[in-house]
Amino acid sequence: DLLFYYLSKTSFNLPIQHSNASPSAMTISSFFNNGLLSVLGILLSAYSIYVEYRVEHKAENPDDVFTALCDIEAIGASCSTVFSLPEAKMLSFFGLVPHGSILDIPNGYLGIAFYALSLTRYVTGTQRSGLLSHLFYPTVNLIITTLAFSSSIFLARKLYIIQEVCVVCITTHIINTTIFYRSIQEALSVSEGKIKRQ
C-alpha cells in the first residue's frame, strides 16, 4: 500500500492518456518526458566535455591513443572533430568572454546547466519560492529554452556547412527542440488560462 501511495504522489508518474490522443503517441511522449530528456542531455554534455578535454590535451601525450565512442567511421561521424571547432566554446566565439579565460568553457558546461535546470523544474514543478523561483516561471522558461534552441540551430547549421556528422550533437539538438516545443505549449496554456479568467 505504501508503494502504491508513493507512486501516486511521485513527480515521475507518466501523464494520464487523453481520449483525443493516440495511445501510442501518448505513451512515447510520456516516456520521453522532460525529466528523462534532461538526464540524457546531462550525460551527453558531460561526455562531450570529456572528449573535448582528451582531444585538447592529446599533444601533451602523443602515445595516448584515444578514439571517442561517437567517432563512428562506418557512418563518417566524428564528434571529436566538431568539439575541436571554435564554435565548441560559444561564449568566447561570440566575444562574450575573453578567449582562454576561466569562463571560456566548452558548450557542454552550458548544456549541463540548462539540463540541470530543466530536470529540477520537472521534478519539483513550477511552484517554488525564493530567489530562484523566477527561473521556473513558464515565460522565463520559454526564454531559456529559446536560447538553447537557437544555439542548436546555429550549431546544426555549422555541421551542415562543414558536412560533418556528430551523433552527440544531433541528439542534443533533438532534445533541445523537444524541450523548446513543450515550453511553447506550456506558455500558451498558461496564457490561455489567464485570458479565460479575465
Side-chain angles (χ1 to χ4, degrees):
D1 291 340
L2 289 176
L3 176 61
F4 284 108
Y5 176 79
Y6 172 77
L7 291 176
S8 67
K9 296 298 182 181
T10 180
S11 300
F12 290 99
N13 270 354
L14 300 180
I16 298 175
Q17 294 184 3
H18 299 283
S19 58
N20 60 344
S22 168
S24 59
M26 287 299 298
T27 301
I28 294 175
S29 177
S30 300
F31 180 76
F32 290 103
N33 53 60
N34 281 5
L36 179 61
L37 293 179
S38 298
V39 171
L40 180 58
I42 290 174
L43 294 176
L44 291 174
S45 297
Y47 184 68
S48 73
I49 295 172
Y50 170 72
V51 172
E52 185 169 348
Y53 175 83
R54 291 295 300 270
V55 172
E56 187 174 344
H57 293 78
K58 189 175 183 179
E60 300 176 2
N61 189 4
D63 297 330
D64 182 20
V65 179
F66 171 72
T67 302
L69 295 176
C70 47
D71 288 346
I72 309 173
E73 187 176 355
I75 61 174
S78 177
C79 62
S80 58
T81 299
V82 176
F83 296 154
S84 301
L85 296 172
E87 289 84 352
K89 295 182 178 180
M90 287 197 300
L91 293 182
S92 61
F93 179 81
F94 287 110
L96 300 177
V97 300
H99 181 74
S101 69
I102 192 173
L103 295 178
D104 186 17
I105 57 177
N107 296 339
Y109 286 104
L110 302 178
I112 289 178
F114 169 67
Y115 296 126
L117 177 63
S118 180
L119 178 61
T120 303
R121 195 174 187 273
Y122 175 81
V123 173
T124 64
T126 59
Q127 303 299 322
R128 292 177 60 87
S129 59
L131 295 176
L132 299 180
S133 61
H134 296 292
L135 292 176
F136 294 84
Y137 290 168
T139 304
V140 177
N141 181 61
L142 179 59
I143 294 174
I144 295 174
T145 57
T146 299
L147 292 174
F149 176 70
S150 299
S151 69
S152 285
I153 294 296
F154 171 76
L155 295 173
R157 178 177 177 273
K158 181 63 178 182
L159 289 178
Y160 176 77
I161 292 175
I162 65 176
Q163 294 294 297
E164 192 67 70
V165 178
C166 175
V167 177
V168 172
C169 306
I170 294 173
T171 305
T172 55
H173 297 338
I174 294 174
I175 293 175
N176 291 349
T177 302
T178 304
I179 295 178
F180 169 66
Y181 174 73
R182 289 173 176 171
S183 70
I184 293 177
Q185 290 183 312
E186 180 187 12
L188 290 176
S189 176
V190 172
S191 178
E192 290 175 358
K194 290 181 178 179
I195 293 175
K196 291 180 180 180
R197 289 195 296 269
Q198 290 179 351

